Amino acid sequence: MADALRARITSGELRPGQRMPTQARLADEFGVERGAVRQALRILQSEHLLTNVSKGAPATVAPDLGKALTGPGAPPASTMVALAPRIASAFAAPHVEIDALCLTAVSLTLAIGEPLRQIHAGRLKPAKVDFRVLLPSRDIPLAFPTPVDDSADDVDVQLRRRWLAQRNAQGQVLRHNLLALRSTHGIDVQVTFRALPFTPPVKLYLLNGTEALFAYYTLSRREVEIGQQHLEMYDAPGIQSTLFAFEQDAGLRDMTFVEQSHVWFNALWETISSELVLTS
């Protein structure tokens, strides 16, 4: 229940300052006792997503969700939930610097929609935006996605084509949407992609030199339809990966993780990565 209500809050279905449904209504909706409802609401209150949780009046969605979702006490959440508000917070800086290492850039492209909306609404006004993105090269055998049974003809080739089309499409959309800020808002934007010679087992986002967001790509078995053929494959949907946040001012451990993540990313960027062209 807490997960479902959290998703409604972070998606905007329940807005900041809005009153929640009554505990009786939530109990009926989820088919549970009121004690379970109160427990779920207290979880969300501990995450600073709700206020005024009691046995009486309905709770209220926190008025400052940005702080709740990006502050040092924010709990780990899926990339789909956690990345957009943190990217939006990074865009509040005059000079936005974002480095990303990922498999396809799907999560990053989705997350960038939130700060773009805020820029167009006049709530964010960065002067300069620099993006560097590391993605797997098209010239390497991928560790995943990979077929469960590769004995069938061209199965691996079909999955590879599917991944490459997704990588290229997401990268092109990301670049186009960011570069459009030059003409629409006069923002100095630079977007650069480079290719990795390996399949990354983790995803990493570095925000303005002060924050590192880290997640594992966890493989699972699933079915995908390509053309009219159903294929079993091992894959790791990145938007579902749990994102862990480390902030430079949150203590020595976090500060060291942020600093070493930058060292690692820069080393890959400057040594074994190569030019990446977003075409098939």
Side-chain angles (χ1 to χ4, degrees), residues 101-105 134-148 150 155-168 194-202 217 219 226 233-236 276:
L101 180 151
C102 43
L103 186 66
T104 61
L134 286 170
L135 297 168
S137 169
R138 56 167 293 171
D139 300 322
I140 62 169
L142 289 173
F144 60 90
T146 188
V148 173
D150 59 2
V155 172
D156 191 55
V157 173
Q158 292 181 63
L159 287 180
R160 180 181 181 79
R161 286 175 179 166
R162 179 178 179 273
W163 164 81
L164 184 60
Q166 188 176 55
R167 186 206 71 170
N168 292 342
R194 287 188 66 79
L196 291 169
F198 61 89
T199 309
V202 299
Y217 281 117
L219 293 176
I226 300 179
M233 68 174 181
Y234 295 116
D235 197 11
L276 187 149

Side-chain angles (χ1 to χ4, degrees), residues 54-183:
S54 67
K55 292 184 179 180
T60 303
V61 179
D64 189 358
L65 285 180
K67 183 176 180 181
L69 294 170
T70 63
S78 71
T79 301
M80 174 63 80
V81 170
L83 186 58
R86 290 184 178 273
I87 294 276
S89 293
F91 266 74
H95 183 188
V96 181
E97 296 180 274
I98 295 181
D99 295 334
L101 180 151
C102 43
L103 186 66
T104 61
V106 170
S107 299
L108 187 59
T109 302
L110 291 172
I112 210 68
E114 179 59 27
L116 291 180
R117 282 191 293 271
Q118 295 194 34
I119 288 173
H120 294 313
R123 292 191 292 270
L124 292 175
K125 297 181 180 179
K128 186 175 184 180
V129 175
D130 286 316
F131 263 69
R132 297 190 301 172
V133 184
L134 286 170
L135 297 168
S137 169
R138 56 167 293 171
D139 300 322
I140 62 169
L142 289 173
F144 60 90
T146 188
V148 173
D149 179 7
D150 59 2
S151 61
D153 292 341
D154 295 331
V155 172
D156 191 55
V157 173
Q158 292 181 63
L159 287 180
R160 180 181 181 79
R161 286 175 179 166
R162 179 178 179 273
W163 164 81
L164 184 60
Q166 188 176 55
R167 186 206 71 170
N168 292 342
Q170 295 298 325
Q172 289 167 357
V173 170
L174 177 66
R175 181 171 59 190
H176 171 79
N177 289 346
L178 287 168
L179 292 181
L181 296 175
R182 291 178 178 174
S183 58

